[in-house]
Amino acid sequence: MAFNKSLLAARHHIVFLIGLMSALVIAFAIESREYKRVLGNITFEASEEIPFKESRVLSSKEYDWATIAWQYFENNYQENTGLVNSVDGYPSTTMWDTASYLMGLIAAEKINVVTQDVFTLRMEKALTTLARLPLVDGKLPNKVYNTQTLEMVDYANNPQEYGIGWSAIDIGRILVPINILVWQYPQFNKQVNDILNHWKISEMLIDGYMYGARNLHEGSQEMELVQEGRIGYEEYASKSLALMGRDVFNSMKYIDFLNLVDIYGVEIPTDYRDPDKYHAHNYVVSESYILDSIEFGADSVSKVFAHRVYKAQENRFEDTGILTAVSEDNVDEEPYFVYNTVFSDGKKWNAISDDGKDQSHLKTLSTKAAFGWYALYDAKYTDLLIDATSDLYTEEKGWYSGRYESDQRINKAITANTNGIVLESLAYIENGPLLKVGESDK
């Protein structure tokens, strides 16, 4: 009964979304091939053709790439909990990385990398665990968990009795595979309902915006709410919530904080909220736009923004000769995680850690970004990207995160996110967008 009500709510909201998208089309004055978009008082031309790749069966080489990515999840699977480590050999995970595992599992099933029995067993175990996680203040998943014990931990995997807060963006991400299960794999209805009844999603939504939570003081049980999300990630994470009938109207809008910045002759969407004032960086990277496209199929605005973010990277290569596919990535040396961006904090091609410190020496060609752009666009440049990254793996462990620009060393960090997105990208080539609302494969 609860599932039927959820479906009904989702159906009603889909009608709303269709109306919303129609309104956006009108508001942005979209015409056939050469059109002008108007966002608030910002007008920009978007007449370029977008070279989307036609769906096709994977080649034998691409199928082999998928099996290499799946090896990561074989190696890092925790039998007792059904979760997977975020980083190779390290028993910790976030909701974002758990989503990457679930999306990787769904992708592996779609392209026959795993059997139905393996898919069913693993999915049931992971969902059962998600429905019994200890929650922050009894409301929502903590930002990080020990994959072996399910304890709430900090980013150093130290147990935290009260947790360290929740990430609304990460929760929005994990609701993507949950939505896919609702629409395409009804055999998991009970487990999905158990999760949605356990988590209090409404606690992270206020007036159509998404809110994360963090400790008011270190180690404190008391949490404070902070608005979460910037252009690109904010709209992406909102979509899964909208499909579940939640009010994320304000989070889904690009207009309110949009600023267009010229990079190599391309008007790039950026977020003008000041990091010093709002205590959040504005990362323009490949990942959010790639995921929007390969999972949801993108919308009339994000498909243009995605191509512009891609095109700036292609233009950088043409100007400098440096192969460019930037994203947030784990790296194999301190600080171990870097946001390699098209634009952030007022700077073009900025590479920073989450504390805002410059990490330009750790700029990388990102494996997952290369695979994502290759899956989306039929272009000579995406072929160059995949050629440059197609050897960045070990058959025993999976895909490395990328290659450093400065000296061409391999960035040997191996993660769930990279390998999950590789699998998603390859499944997209064969199946198109992975979240097809109202379509059932089973």
Side-chain angles (χ1 to χ4, degrees), residues 1-7 127 131 178 182 186 188-199 244:
M1 182 63 68
F3 178 72
N4 290 337
K5 290 181 179 178
S6 296
L7 274 182
L127 296 176
I178 295 298
V182 166
F188 299 112
N189 287 356
K190 180 185 182 304
Q191 291 91 339
V192 167
N193 272 319
D194 288 344
I195 293 169
L196 298 179
N197 288 330
H198 184 45
W199 298 1
M244 305 183 94

Side-chain angles (χ1 to χ4, degrees), residues 62-79:
E62 290 166 338
Y63 183 82
D64 289 342
W65 292 343
T67 62
I68 290 166
W70 180 250
Q71 188 59 46
Y72 176 89
F73 299 109
E74 290 286 350
N75 294 348
N76 286 276
Y77 182 65
Q78 300 290 349
E79 185 71 36

